[in-house]
Amino acid sequence: MKKYNFNAGPSMLPREVIENTAKQILDFNGSGLSLMEISHRAKDFQPVVDETVALIKELLDIPEGYSVIFLGGGASLQFMQIPANFLIKKAGYVNTGTWAKKAMKEAKHFGETIEVASSADDNYCHLPKDFTIPADLDYLHITTNNTIFGTELRKDIDSPVPLIADMSSDILSRPVDVSKYDAIYAGCQKNMGMAGVTCVILKNDKLGRAPRELPTMIDYNTHVSKGSMFNTPPVVPIYSVLETMRWVKAHGGVKEMDKRAQERARIVYDEIDRNKLFKGTVAVEDRSVMNLCFVMNEEYKDLEKPFLDFATERGMVGIKGHRSVGGFRASCYNAQTLEGVNALVQCMKDFEAQH
Amino acid sequence: MKKYNFNAGPSMLPREVIENTAKQILDFNGSGLSLMEISHRAKDFQPVVDETVALIKELLDIPEGYSVIFLGGGASLQFMQIPANFLIKKAGYVNTGTWAKKAMKEAKHFGETIEVASSADDNYCHLPKDFTIPADLDYLHITTNNTIFGTELRKDIDSPVPLIADMSSDILSRPVDVSKYDAIYAGCQKNMGMAGVTCVILKNDKLGRAPRELPTMIDYNTHVSKGSMFNTPPVVPIYSVLETMRWVKAHGGVKEMDKRAQERARIVYDEIDRNKLFKGTVAVEDRSVMNLCFVMNEEYKDLEKPFLDFATERGMVGIKGHRSVGGFRASCYNAQTLEGVNALVQCMKDFEAQH
């Protein structure tokens, strides 16, 4: 049976990314060696890193003066690496959910950290609005898409202080004005490739200002100056990013990704709003187009498990909602297809017809 | 032409590890999804982690009371993570080369760090001997195999203080008495799988003693308590470790790996010692069986580049020595074959016959 992958991350990737990665694992560039066993110093791996960086710069229209690096450890390691490198006296965080809170928690190890705004009181079902950003912050940290709660800030805000964003779950799904950010980071396992590599975009002239001696691996300068090759990078995960970037470019770039994401989200949210069984969990204006969260209407609560089983039998994978929200979550990253969301919607319709 | 992979890392892996990983990337366990796009929380990925941990414990005969975890960031991140977690007042390091020095450098961020012994004055061509380990150290750090200089401490020393070892380049190549160590770590890209994951073996009752608040991702307890699943782990790299562990077990375990390593090394070192063109760079008793370093004899120095070309034409890959030593380095990790080392030796003989 055909599977429709709605996993929240690691998540669906384009079939050609998967097949090309498998092919290079069997024989890298016809070298007779596997991608798994080539040296990262080999003369045919440097072009992989170079092309990946160039494609990310092209696709996100990154201005001069920024570096793109690849690190291990996941976005969770960035939660401490960002303040280690950028927090001088005081950092501000917008608390939009689990990941934003985790990021804020790590900053406290490095200096004063304030919560500039929060929607915790409403279980993060909307984004905080109309807050003031203190002018004395070293930076403001935002989480542009909240994978668990299904809210998304799908625009680049104006900030009077340097802006730093965790874009793990919506990078490359829309055009971004990178010049508004001092740093952007993203675990790659949603829109960029397989798990095991994190992409960090850094404004060069902002690095090295924090008043502390950093362990070598924590200092962004280490990785910027060595082009992600200070130590052995995650070779195969980086290759999967290259293939994904090629796919994004071949499919029209981030403008087209944006268009597709909006269309997929419209189809699913329209059904959520129409179907008597379901309701969305997020304020309409803040709905994520990456992670579409919905629950059973109160009177149909008992049907939650039956719907999950019904959808699973029809090939839906990964639609169980996170325990913080319950219900369902359809993650629709760049590789998600119209066929996939239509199959999900058909499930919802068919299940409704039975009840 | 058949290639013989002598890369220092990432390095040669068994063909079935490569093929099985590629197969799972195309379709993971017949699920219809790629290994690249399954959730790390999926019910069929937990068994991958569990089996990998169980196999490492079995193969290394790890006693009760130890945890095995997988982290991103490479052994270089462990250079800071080890002292962050273990350095209370004073740490000692045995300086046996580039990597040992790098490890020592990071410890200085966390407390007093002393060099207990060093062979730097002899360009690390032997291991330091007859040194005294101060009894007041929080731990002694050793690097069991020195990838660049080709020395190896192929036994478990007795230490009056807790022993911590970087075994990146010789783990699983011999039986180890794990009970002698409080921590062992290894970047997996040599004897354990593809690049992108680091294996850390930790004695549980020694964790959490260092007198500092640690960022969550730096604290080993985070990863031990969550079974390497605190955040998204490097899924595909971990899978490659599973396949490699299965291969090691199927091929006789670490005793057999040890026997094969000794045999390969004997064949190559015998030729280095016999051949008029070449000489080894390392004191005979300290020669690594993983990284076999040799240079041209003084009177044949001009033949260095010609031999490299000659060997390359015959399919040898990655035998250029590190710039710190010059000459040649044949890395013979677990997956290296007799066919490979015999091909290299034949190259050396044939080249000698021409000169």
Side-chain angles (χ1 to χ4, degrees):
Chain A
M1 183 183 52
K2 169 113 191 195
K3 295 293 176 64
Y4 299 100
N5 186 350
F6 293 97
N7 279 327
S11 46
M12 186 174 180
L13 289 170
R15 194 63 205 171
E16 49 262 62
V17 169
I18 292 163
E19 288 175 358
N20 288 344
T21 303
K23 194 177 151 204
Q24 300 292 342
I25 282 179
L26 291 172
D27 183 6
F28 179 61
N29 284 354
S31 66
L33 301 185
S34 165
L35 178 63
M36 291 168 62
E37 52 178 8
I38 57 160
S39 170
H40 58 295
R41 310 279 182 204
K43 67 177 185 306
D44 41 357
F45 186 64
Q46 187 63 51
V48 167
V49 176
D50 293 343
E51 185 185 345
T52 312
V53 168
L55 278 170
I56 292 169
K57 286 185 171 178
E58 179 187 339
L59 288 165
L60 286 175
D61 197 18
I62 298 177
E64 287 292 307
Y66 283 79
S67 295
V68 175
I69 57 172
F70 302 108
L71 302 175
S76 293
L77 188 62
Q78 297 311 303
F79 294 165
M80 68 80 71
Q81 203 161 351
I82 287 287
N85 282 268
F86 288 103
L87 205 169
I88 300 169
K89 281 194 176 159
K90 185 156 76 164
Y93 280 69
V94 182
N95 178 6
T96 52
T98 308
W99 299 106
K101 260 172 72 180
K102 287 191 181 208
M104 183 162 54
K105 181 180 170 214
E106 301 309 312
K108 291 175 181 166
H109 289 283
F110 299 92
E112 190 185 348
T113 302
I114 63 166
E115 187 180 81
V116 169
S118 171
S119 52
D121 288 348
D122 298 319
N123 198 32
Y124 304 110
C125 75
H126 60 84
L127 295 173
K129 309 270 164 41
D130 303 322
F131 53 87
T132 304
I133 302 168
D136 65 341
L137 298 177
D138 296 320
Y139 63 84
L140 180 75
H141 180 282
I142 58 173
T143 311
T144 53
N145 182 70
N146 300 285
T147 317
I148 290 176
F149 293 97
T151 59
E152 187 177 15
L153 179 68
R154 213 166 167 80
K155 64 180 182 199
D156 306 304
I157 62 171
D158 292 307
S159 167
V161 301
L163 191 60
I164 293 179
D166 175 0
M167 293 194 185
S168 291
S169 54
D170 67 352
I171 195 166
L172 287 154
S173 74
R174 66 171 177 93
V176 167
D177 182 354
V178 174
S179 72
K180 287 190 166 182
Y181 301 85
D182 276 20
I184 293 170
Y185 63 95
C188 293
Q189 68 272 16
K190 293 152 199 282
N191 272 336
M192 297 186 80
M194 68 168 68
V197 59
T198 306
C199 179
V200 190
I201 302 167
L202 295 157
K203 194 166 186 175
N204 295 329
D205 65 6
K206 294 303 183 73
L207 297 177
R209 295 192 181 181
R212 60 183 66 86
E213 280 196 24
L214 292 173
T216 307
M217 285 291 286
I218 302 303
D219 188 343
Y220 285 128
N221 284 298
T222 301
H223 305 285
V224 167
S225 67
K226 296 289 185 181
S228 303
M229 294 286 211
F230 171 73
N231 68 326
T232 310
V235 170
V236 174
I238 289 174
Y239 185 82
S240 78
V241 175
L242 170 59
E243 284 290 345
T244 310
M245 295 305 97
R246 286 175 176 166
W247 179 89
V248 171
K249 183 176 177 181
H251 285 253
V254 293
K255 274 191 188 164
E256 176 65 18
M257 295 300 117
D258 191 12
K259 194 176 141 230
R260 291 184 188 185
Q262 305 282 358
E263 186 179 2
R264 288 189 305 258
R266 185 188 52 71
I267 291 169
V268 178
Y269 282 127
D270 278 357
E271 178 60 20
I272 292 169
D273 293 341
R274 186 209 61 73
N275 195 305
K276 71 179 181 198
L277 303 179
F278 304 102
K279 65 174 177 188
T281 58
V282 166
V284 171
E285 71 277 13
D286 294 331
R287 281 174 164 178
S288 170
V289 300
M290 298 281 106
N291 309 100
L292 289 49
C293 295
F294 54 106
V295 292
M296 285 288 168
N297 267 314
E298 209 48 59
E299 59 269 43
Y300 298 105
K301 271 287 174 213
D302 293 348
L303 294 177
E304 187 168 307
K305 178 71 167 50
F307 177 69
L308 190 63
D309 295 340
F310 183 85
T312 303
E313 278 163 24
R314 289 167 168 233
M316 309 300 131
V317 174
I319 64 160
K320 192 174 188 327
H322 190 276
R323 63 182 179 282
S324 314
V325 178
F328 312 97
R329 173 175 56 178
S331 293
C332 297
Y333 299 117
N334 281 349
Q336 190 55 269
T337 59
L338 273 182
E339 184 192 348
V341 295
N342 284 327
L344 174 62
V345 163
Q346 195 58 51
C347 264
M348 295 164 75
K349 287 184 193 297
D350 292 349
F351 192 73
E352 181 192 34
Q354 292 184 6
H355 295 92
Chain B
M1 184 184 53
K2 169 113 191 195
K3 295 292 176 64
Y4 299 100
N5 185 351
F6 293 97
N7 279 328
S11 45
M12 186 173 179
L13 289 171
R15 194 63 205 170
E16 48 262 63
V17 168
I18 292 162
E19 287 175 359
N20 288 346
T21 303
K23 194 177 151 208
Q24 300 292 341
I25 281 179
L26 290 172
D27 184 4
F28 179 61
N29 285 354
S31 66
L33 301 185
S34 165
L35 179 63
M36 292 167 62
E37 52 177 9
I38 58 160
S39 170
H40 58 297
R41 310 280 182 204
K43 68 176 185 304
D44 41 358
F45 185 64
Q46 187 62 52
V48 168
V49 175
D50 293 343
E51 186 185 345
T52 312
V53 168
L55 278 169
I56 292 169
K57 286 186 171 178
E58 179 187 340
L59 289 164
L60 286 176
D61 196 17
I62 299 177
E64 286 294 306
Y66 283 80
S67 295
V68 176
I69 56 171
F70 303 108
L71 302 176
S76 293
L77 188 63
Q78 296 312 303
F79 294 166
M80 68 80 72
Q81 203 161 349
I82 288 286
N85 282 268
F86 288 102
L87 205 168
I88 301 169
K89 281 192 175 162
K90 185 156 76 164
Y93 280 70
V94 182
N95 178 5
T96 52
T98 309
W99 299 105
K101 260 173 72 180
K102 287 191 181 206
M104 185 162 52
K105 181 179 171 218
E106 301 310 311
K108 291 176 182 166
H109 290 283
F110 298 92
E112 190 185 346
T113 303
I114 63 164
E115 186 180 81
V116 169
S118 171
S119 52
D121 288 349
D122 298 319
N123 198 34
Y124 304 110
C125 74
H126 61 84
L127 295 174
K129 308 271 165 41
D130 303 323
F131 53 87
T132 304
I133 303 168
D136 64 341
L137 297 177
D138 296 319
Y139 64 84
L140 180 75
H141 181 283
I142 58 173
T143 310
T144 54
N145 183 70
N146 300 285
T147 317
I148 289 175
F149 293 97
T151 59
E152 186 178 15
L153 179 67
R154 214 166 167 78
K155 64 180 181 201
D156 306 304
I157 62 171
D158 292 307
S159 167
V161 302
L163 192 59
I164 293 180
D166 175 0
M167 294 194 184
S168 290
S169 54
D170 66 354
I171 196 166
L172 288 154
S173 74
R174 67 170 177 95
V176 168
D177 182 354
V178 174
S179 73
K180 288 190 167 184
Y181 301 84
D182 277 19
I184 294 170
Y185 62 94
C188 293
Q189 68 273 15
K190 293 154 201 284
N191 272 336
M192 298 187 79
M194 66 168 68
V197 59
T198 306
C199 179
V200 189
I201 301 168
L202 295 159
K203 194 166 186 174
N204 295 329
D205 65 5
K206 294 303 183 72
L207 297 178
R209 295 193 182 180
R212 60 183 65 86
E213 281 196 26
L214 294 172
T216 307
M217 285 291 287
I218 302 303
D219 188 343
Y220 285 128
N221 284 297
T222 301
H223 305 286
V224 167
S225 67
K226 296 290 186 181
S228 304
M229 294 286 210
F230 171 73
N231 68 326
T232 310
V235 170
V236 175
I238 288 175
Y239 185 83
S240 78
V241 175
L242 170 59
E243 284 290 346
T244 310
M245 295 306 96
R246 285 176 176 167
W247 179 89
V248 172
K249 184 176 177 182
H251 286 254
V254 294
K255 274 190 188 164
E256 175 67 18
M257 295 300 118
D258 191 12
K259 194 178 139 226
R260 291 185 187 183
Q262 305 283 357
E263 186 179 3
R264 287 189 306 259
R266 185 187 52 71
I267 292 170
V268 178
Y269 282 127
D270 279 356
E271 179 60 19
I272 292 170
D273 293 340
R274 188 209 60 75
N275 194 306
K276 71 179 182 199
L277 303 179
F278 304 102
K279 65 173 178 188
T281 58
V282 166
V284 171
E285 71 277 13
D286 295 331
R287 280 174 166 178
S288 170
V289 300
M290 297 282 106
N291 308 101
L292 289 50
C293 295
F294 53 106
V295 293
M296 285 287 168
N297 268 314
E298 210 47 61
E299 59 269 43
Y300 298 105
K301 271 285 175 215
D302 293 350
L303 294 178
E304 186 168 308
K305 177 72 168 51
F307 177 69
L308 190 63
D309 294 341
F310 182 83
T312 303
E313 278 163 26
R314 289 167 169 232
M316 308 301 132
V317 174
I319 64 161
K320 193 175 190 321
H322 190 276
R323 65 182 178 281
S324 313
V325 177
F328 310 99
R329 172 174 56 178
S331 294
C332 296
Y333 299 117
N334 281 348
Q336 190 55 269
T337 59
L338 274 182
E339 184 192 349
V341 295
N342 284 327
L344 174 62
V345 163
Q346 195 58 50
C347 262
M348 295 164 76
K349 287 184 194 296
D350 292 349
F351 192 71
E352 181 192 34
Q354 291 184 7
H355 295 93

